[in-house]
Amino acid sequence: MKKINLGQVATTTCALALLAGQGFAGGLDRSGQPIGLIFEEGNYVELSFGHSNPSVMGNDLAIFNPAQTPSGNVAQSFNQIAGGLKIQITDQLSAAIIYDQPWGSDVVYAAPDANPLTPGSVLLGGTQAIAETQSLTGILRYKFNDSFSLHGGLRYQQAEGNITLSGLAYGPLNGYNVSLAQDSGVGWLVGAAFERPDIALRLAVTYQSEIDHSFSTVESLAPLATTTTNTTTPQSLNIDFQTGVAQNTLLMAGIRWVDHSVVSIMPTISNTELVDIEDSTTFSLGLGRRFTENLSGSVMLSYEAASSDNLVSPLAPTNGMKALTLGLQYKKDKMKISGGVRYTKLGDAFAETGTPDVARAAFGGSDAISFGLRVGFYF
């Protein structure tokens, strides 16, 4: 089989997954924490931008609200920025630094009186969860030969958030707000790769550790109190595979597991668990195809099974997903431009507040449309 030019056939599907809706692949996951930059040839720099526009709509359950008031779209659109630099130090040793925004939430329930034409949820109206993170990851990769390599590094992460519990479903916690001031933490990653350059085969496995945070916290329960809240962002495991299946054609597959259940936000005064998210495993399968010397494309399917328990947090009111991502890449001399669009069908779910542990609202027909653009240069 003729050797396949990965730079032109593979259409940076890791970047397209990151930029085109990875935020809907389980819980708080937004970037997928890709490290594909370390496998680029020579010296390389890139910048990426993405935008996701979700639609997640539900209704109060009639047993608690006979009017079944609609929630409106509770998922806000959001942008993603990422970038990185890779340096080939020697034939065997390379280094990379990667910036991404790995975890996040933009969920806002309109208050019942926000718009008379589209009244908000009586049971959950006013509830919101805004969370932002940004990470800087340094990676070293050592190639023992053309087949085996090891990679590892450190990740510096900043996180902050604001959560409001509002609506009749929260009982005595109705109107509670907690603000989590920005905090930073450090984690690590380690992995290995097996490659067969003659058939464009690569199997890479990467584990990323948990990162602990200790937030200075302001809680609104009377009296107003400043406390400390400890939490952890998830550990994860990425398995990425690719191989040539025909001249100029690449088969790609991936598995990503995220330990979302480790995330616990229980402020001191409220003594209430505010986040309850199941672990997620996302499967991806796709093809990359070189059309001309400069142009290539890709198609990828992604799937995350719904949890057997369809009761979810109002702060993450979906359960599982299916997605289709289409991408194009144009490469000329030392520059390449990659773009992609993704449609994500989000699974139906019932939101519960834990007061008691029963469904309060039903969400169905949710989806998201996302797009991304990446520009890279070899130097």
Side-chain angles (χ1 to χ4, degrees):
M1 181 182 295
K2 181 180 177 180
K3 182 176 178 180
I4 298 178
N5 187 331
L6 293 181
Q8 296 189 12
V9 178
T11 59
T12 60
T13 50
C14 285
L16 300 180
L18 170 127
L19 295 170
Q22 183 69 29
F24 299 100
L28 303 171
D29 201 359
R30 284 203 166 166
S31 76
Q33 299 174 296
I35 64 159
L37 181 77
I38 196 68
F39 295 103
E40 291 284 354
E41 296 180 2
N43 300 325
Y44 177 74
V45 62
E46 68 181 25
L47 180 65
S48 305
F49 172 81
H51 177 81
S52 290
N53 187 24
S55 176
V56 179
M57 306 184 73
N59 294 82
D60 290 352
L61 291 182
I63 189 174
F64 299 108
N65 176 13
Q68 294 182 274
T69 312
S71 66
N73 185 11
V74 305
Q76 309 300 297
S77 61
F78 62 91
N79 298 322
Q80 288 281 94
I81 297 175
L85 170 69
K86 184 254 179 175
I87 299 295
Q88 192 68 43
I89 301 173
T90 69
D91 289 342
Q92 293 177 297
L93 183 64
S94 57
I97 186 166
I98 300 172
Y99 170 83
D100 71 332
Q101 298 168 313
W103 318 106
S105 175
D106 283 281
V107 174
V108 177
Y109 289 73
D113 59 350
N115 186 341
L117 299 179
T118 56
S121 166
V122 173
L123 298 176
L124 298 170
T127 295
Q128 62 177 305
I130 307 298
E132 298 179 357
T133 63
Q134 51 184 348
S135 295
L136 199 61
T137 305
I139 307 174
L140 289 175
R141 180 186 181 219
Y142 185 81
K143 293 181 63 175
F144 295 94
N145 49 48
D146 287 341
S147 297
F148 295 99
S149 65
L150 293 177
H151 55 271
L154 296 176
R155 174 180 286 258
Y156 173 80
Q157 178 177 279
Q158 291 183 335
E160 59 186 310
N162 191 291
I163 298 174
T164 298
L165 306 182
S166 183
L168 298 181
Y170 284 104
L173 288 178
N174 183 4
Y176 170 76
N177 173 265
V178 58
S179 177
L180 308 171
Q182 188 178 88
D183 181 70
S184 60
V186 177
W188 52 274
L189 64 92
V190 65
F194 172 77
E195 297 177 277
R196 280 274 309 273
D198 58 321
I199 59 172
L201 183 149
R202 179 191 301 139
L203 174 63
V205 179
T206 305
Y207 169 82
Q208 305 218 28
S209 73
E210 299 175 350
I211 297 181
D212 295 326
H213 288 278
S214 182
F215 298 100
S216 176
T217 305
V218 177
E219 299 183 67
S220 67
L221 278 180
L224 195 70
T226 300
T227 59
T228 299
T229 300
N230 298 317
T231 191
T232 300
T233 55
Q235 61 180 333
S236 65
L237 181 69
N238 284 9
I239 301 174
D240 298 301
F241 176 78
Q242 65 180 42
T243 184
V245 292
Q247 185 171 329
N248 294 328
T249 303
L250 194 71
L251 173 69
M252 301 165 290
I255 301 174
R256 175 167 167 80
W257 170 79
V258 181
D259 186 19
H260 285 293
S261 60
V262 75
V263 180
S264 174
I265 300 178
M266 185 179 291
T268 304
I269 304 301
S270 70
N271 195 32
T272 300
E273 178 58 74
L274 304 183
V275 177
D276 183 13
I277 303 175
E278 298 289 332
D279 296 348
S280 66
T281 302
T282 305
F283 301 90
S284 300
L285 182 66
L287 285 175
R289 175 71 180 175
R290 176 182 175 183
F291 303 127
T292 69
E293 181 179 355
N294 302 111
L295 184 66
S296 55
S298 70
V299 57
M300 178 164 283
L301 298 173
S302 302
Y303 172 76
E304 178 190 311
S307 169
S308 57
D309 182 2
N310 62 1
L311 293 178
V312 300
S313 168
L315 306 183
T318 63
N319 189 11
M321 68 90 188
K322 300 175 183 176
L324 172 66
T325 304
L326 302 176
L328 283 176
Q329 176 179 281
Y330 179 80
K331 183 176 181 181
K332 180 69 173 179
D333 299 326
K334 295 186 177 183
M335 182 186 75
K336 65 178 180 181
I337 301 175
S338 308
V341 61
R342 170 166 165 157
Y343 174 77
T344 305
K345 176 62 178 176
L346 301 166
D348 299 347
F350 292 93
E352 59 89 11
T353 60
T355 55
D357 190 19
V358 295
R360 304 291 184 158
F363 287 82
S366 302
D367 60 8
I369 297 178
S370 314
F371 65 86
L373 179 68
R374 165 187 272 184
V375 179
F377 297 91
Y378 297 91
F379 62 95

